[in-house]
Amino acid sequence: MTKIQDIRGLTPDQLAEQLLNLKKEQFNLRFQAATGQVEKTHRVGEIRKEIARIKTVLRAKAAA
């Protein structure tokens, strides 16, 4: 199964919780990048894409 299929299987409440966790992680990574302490620079892009996937699925579920 791909990530998008996993995301589609979650309830809107689970998606909202996961979105909140990703935004917190994104904030922490951005803070680390500003201070020059970030180790996994590729994670920033991964988180952005995961947030976009979750938002897309949430919008699709709300429209349905």
Side-chain angles (χ1 to χ4, degrees):
M1 237 193 254
T2 62
K3 282 188 180 190
I4 192 70
Q5 290 173 335
D6 293 338
I7 292 172
R8 285 185 181 135
L10 299 175
T11 65
D13 290 337
Q14 291 172 325
L15 289 171
E17 183 180 332
Q18 196 171 1
L19 184 64
L20 182 65
N21 291 336
L22 285 171
K23 286 192 175 197
K24 285 180 184 178
E25 187 176 350
Q26 183 183 37
F27 174 78
N28 288 334
L29 283 174
R30 218 181 303 136
F31 194 84
Q32 288 175 1
T35 59
Q37 297 175 349
V38 68
E39 294 176 6
K40 300 179 182 176
T41 55
H42 68 281
R43 186 72 180 132
V44 176
E46 288 176 356
I47 290 176
R48 284 182 55 213
K49 289 176 184 177
E50 286 181 42
I51 288 172
R53 283 186 195 108
I54 290 173
K55 285 184 174 182
T56 300
V57 171
L58 279 172
R59 284 191 199 102
K61 287 187 179 204

